[in-house]
């Protein structure tokens, strides 16, 4: 798969979150396992109100420079965050150019 960089207006996401760190390369081990588990459990199919163009996203947020920790969210873009299934979170992604 080739990465694609685009300009996009802000949007909301809904999905599952895990906390990890760059310390000792833990993120390189934990994130692939998180994806595997999420796909095996078919969690993305349970996300309500997906936008038409919804694809799965990996979003890194809340990076802490002091200890290298951050949150990684596997999510889809959604039209509404009115329904948030148990154990899922919503996160707004700002405009990007």
């Amino acid at each position: 798969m080739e990465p694609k960089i685009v300009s996009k207006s802000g949007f909301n996401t809904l999905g599952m979150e895990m906390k990890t760190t760059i310390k000792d390369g833990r993120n390189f081990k934990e994130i692939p396992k998180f994806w595997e588990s999420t796909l095996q459990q078919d969690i993305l199919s349970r996300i309500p109100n997906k936008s038409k163009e919804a694809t799965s996203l990996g979003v890194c947020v809340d990076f802490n420079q002091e200890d290298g920790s951050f949150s990684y969210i596997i999510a889809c873009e959604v039209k509404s965050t009115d329904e948030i299934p148990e154990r899922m979170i919503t996160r707004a992604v700002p405009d990007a150019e």
Side-chain angles (χ1 to χ4, degrees):
M1 173 172 38
E2 291 294 317
K4 182 179 178 182
I5 299 173
V6 297
S7 294
K8 185 166 175 69
S9 297
F11 59 94
N12 289 314
T13 64
L14 182 61
M16 301 294 291
E17 176 184 38
M18 70 166 272
K19 297 194 186 294
T20 188
T21 181
I22 61 172
K23 194 173 191 174
D24 300 324
R26 281 184 34 199
N27 57 317
F28 293 117
K29 298 172 191 156
E30 294 175 347
I31 291 173
K33 288 180 183 177
F34 184 41
W35 270 104
E36 184 178 329
S37 171
T38 299
L39 295 173
Q40 284 178 348
Q41 295 175 46
D42 200 25
I43 289 171
L44 296 175
S45 71
R46 298 184 213 150
I47 295 175
N49 303 310
K50 290 182 205 164
S51 68
K52 278 187 178 180
E53 299 176 9
T55 57
S56 54
L57 304 169
V59 183
C60 297
V61 295
D62 303 333
F63 187 75
N64 182 320
Q65 291 187 5
E66 290 180 20
D67 66 6
S69 65
F70 64 98
S71 290
Y72 187 84
I73 304 167
I74 297 175
C76 289
E77 180 179 343
V78 293
K79 297 177 275 189
S80 167
T81 56
D82 292 340
E83 296 176 59
I84 302 175
E86 188 175 336
R87 297 183 22 225
M88 289 192 187
I89 65 152
T90 183
R91 186 63 76 111
V93 177
D95 294 347
E97 291 190 31

